[in-house]
Amino acid sequence: MNTALLYHLLDVDPADGPAELLRRARASRRLPYLVLSSLARDDVRMGEPARAELRRARARADHYVRLARDLARATGIRAIRGLPIAGYYPPGLLRPQNDLDLVAPGEAALWQAVIRLVTEHPVERIEVTLLGDRPHHTAVTVQWPADDPLVDPWYRVRLVTAALAGDGAGVPVRPYLVADDHVECLIALAEEGLTRAFRPDDVVDVAALAEQPFEPDETAAVIAAYRVAPEAAALLDLAAAHTPLGRLGPVRAALEAELAPEHRRRTEVGVAPRVLARHGSLLRRTVIRHDWDEARLLSTPDATVLLTPVADYLLTAAPGSATSAERTAAFAALHHWDALC
């Protein structure tokens, strides 16, 4: 992986120089730290503001590494997606990583981790989503300001009890990823294609993984078992237009036999109802309920309230869709709950 790939992906003429490359990377909102670290590796001269930004970016990446390590030791949660993929980047290069994604072995471990984050960091936002009904999976996102919040993105940690959420319809929730680390990273990348178009930074991720020891037939079979063969093929096809696929080339060839069966399977289950997702609208932050292992649902005819160890929420079908009547009913339910406790 070299700076020439970044010029190519961002459609910048190398004759226009590193300043234009960085300007285009900033416009993409995904690649400035990768470009800065690549230019630093190439000994491109840069001023103190750029060097300071790069130092903050490296500190941010190191902070996420420490967070993931400490939470793994304390709760059994482990990193998925961004942080493991970053481990395959060449030394010194910073993968675009605004978020830290973590998967918990269960809801109790998830809330233990959330409590630690709220206790140890100036968390300002806590967002909650429930996926499914009985049983349901929980997703929590916590955010707090960076050291320079006017320049750098906030810290954002996403914790989930299901490693792969699917698309809510033909591709189901898959709670666990069980494979070699580099195969797991490829599956996580392919999963992104269920909900958005692939981007230049996804191509860079493929380039970072390209020389890992993939066994083509076995890798294709695992990808197919996780129901993302079409997305993996599309990602590799996009990457192949920009960079050599290396050992992923035979994987792409092996995936060809898996595409028609997966498209057929999705067609057959296409009439299935979508998986219910309920989004939390914050009602109040609470004193931390250290003795709670799991959240609790408080249902009334007019509202459903989620009581968690750190905050209470009105659950709605879409983010920000709570009506004033629902909020009034939710606060009445909370008042009744408080009176009983």
Side-chain angles (χ1 to χ4, degrees), residues 185-195 198 223 228-229 231-233 235:
C185 288
L186 182 58
I187 292 170
L189 279 176
E191 179 84 0
E192 296 295 310
L194 292 171
T195 55
F198 290 118
I223 291 172
V228 289
E231 289 69 33
L235 172 63

Side-chain angles (χ1 to χ4, degrees), residues 13 45-46 52 54 58 74-75 102 144 161 189 193 207 240-241 248 279 286 308 316 338:
D13 186 338
R45 185 169 63 88
M46 59 182 68
L54 183 55
R58 294 195 189 283
T75 68
L102 305 169
W144 64 92
T161 56
L189 279 176
L248 284 170
H279 303 271
T286 67
T308 84
T316 59
D338 291 341

